[in-house]
Amino acid sequence: IVMHELSYATAMLEAILNSIKKEEEKGKKIKKVSEINLDVGELTFINVEQLKFAFEVIAEGTVCEGAKINVEFIKPKCKCLDCGYEGEPEILDEFEVYCPKCKSIRLKLSGGKEFNIKNATVEYEEE
């Protein structure tokens, strides 16, 4: 497992388990987390398969074991400081992000680095 994906998977699991703890303090008992929906920026360069595998491994024995992970990628936006282009940049890899119009690498980037848990589907214990 690549450390990059493992650290994201760990942060994800901790965040979900913390939310569950808060719910359970209110008296709700959660049996299982069946689905997790993520917003992931394209500039995080996360390998989704590796992320899912890492999460599967560390979630074993928790309420998140076996949860399905859905990822929606968020595209970055840029403003070129050379030609003024505004829109989506060209992305080759994490070291090559450039203006599609003039090929400049002098960009002001916004977005694309998100890693957010949008929501999770949980199953509650029956009363």
Side-chain angles (χ1 to χ4, degrees):
I1 301 172
V2 180
M3 289 312 291
H4 183 66
E5 280 74 16
L6 182 60
S7 61
Y8 277 109
T10 304
M12 205 166 99
L13 183 63
E14 284 173 2
I16 292 169
L17 294 178
N18 282 338
S19 294
I20 287 171
K21 210 163 112 190
K22 286 182 185 136
E23 282 291 292
E24 292 190 333
E25 283 167 4
K26 294 178 196 164
K28 295 180 177 129
K29 189 86 180 92
I30 292 166
K31 182 169 65 179
K32 182 177 174 23
V33 175
S34 55
E35 213 166 325
I36 301 162
N37 296 307
L38 304 175
D39 279 340
V40 177
E42 283 185 358
L43 296 177
T44 57
F45 297 98
I46 286 178
N47 177 314
V48 174
E49 290 315 304
Q50 287 176 354
L51 176 73
K52 287 178 178 179
F53 179 72
F55 190 80
E56 208 174 284
V57 171
I58 64 170
E60 218 169 280
T62 72
V63 289
C64 293
E65 187 173 340
K68 181 177 190 278
I69 297 171
N70 304 311
V71 176
E72 195 174 309
F73 282 103
I74 309 288
K75 292 194 173 295
K77 297 269 183 273
C78 75
K79 180 175 172 54
C80 180
L81 301 176
D82 288 332
C83 77
Y85 165 86
E86 289 189 41
E88 287 178 23
E90 285 288 328
I91 304 168
L92 274 183
D93 59 38
E94 43 200 304
F95 307 109
E96 279 196 79
V97 179
Y98 57 90
C99 173
K101 198 168 156 194
C102 75
K103 307 296 179 225
S104 169
I105 57 168
R106 287 179 10 94
L107 304 176
K108 184 174 177 9
L109 291 167
S110 61
K113 293 204 178 211
E114 302 83 353
F115 185 87
N116 300 320
I117 299 169
K118 236 189 328 199
N119 54 43
T121 306
V122 298
E123 294 168 24
Y124 292 97
E125 295 275 353
E126 296 301 317
E127 291 300 309

